Amino acid sequence: MKLTDAQLVLLSAAPQREDGAVLLAPNLKGGAASKVVGKLLRDGLIEEVSAAASLPAWRRDDDAGPRALRITKRGLAAIGVDGGPPTWLALESPTRIRALSSASITFNSHRG
């Protein structure tokens, strides 16, 4: 599987966070963000979860509320990270949302 530089940067930063969150660069917005994230979601390298606790929201879904992105075991393997499963992967896996509906996406103007 071939990843772009932007996808590699997103995936590589996530394991350094205690929560495994994938954070979008401030300059990655709109259609470009949807394209980069959509491919990672479709390939199962990241998952979309409820933005609770320390997970920063990347978008708001009309029905599901704030959504966050988190790296998966497959994503860790894609960037060559091995070892035991991180804390966030040991938790029960939330429902994964694989398709992005541009009609229901509202990007946050503030990312923390």
Side-chain angles (χ1 to χ4, degrees):
M1 158 182 340
K2 185 169 178 160
L3 298 171
T4 66
D5 289 343
Q7 292 166 333
L8 285 170
V9 168
L10 291 178
L11 290 175
S12 297
Q16 298 173 34
R17 292 181 51 95
E18 190 173 306
D19 57 11
V22 173
L23 301 178
L24 299 182
N27 62 339
L28 189 59
K29 299 178 183 175
S34 291
K35 185 175 181 180
V36 170
V37 169
K39 170 87 168 108
L40 295 173
L41 284 168
R42 281 189 304 279
D43 289 347
L45 302 179
I46 63 174
E47 62 185 348
E48 191 172 61
V49 297
S50 178
S54 68
L55 292 172
W58 86 285
R59 72 175 189 97
R60 179 170 294 280
D61 182 84
D62 292 339
D63 298 323
R67 307 301 293 167
L69 299 170
R70 188 168 55 191
I71 195 166
T72 63
K73 288 181 186 178
R74 187 172 180 175
L76 291 170
I79 58 171
V81 175
D82 4 335
T87 306
W88 75 89
L89 288 175
L91 302 174
E92 182 179 335
S93 183
T95 302
R96 294 181 184 183
I97 297 178
R98 300 214 183 260
L100 299 175
S101 167
S102 59
S104 66
I105 294 177
T106 304
F107 289 93
N108 294 332
S109 58
H110 173 73
R111 291 183 179 91

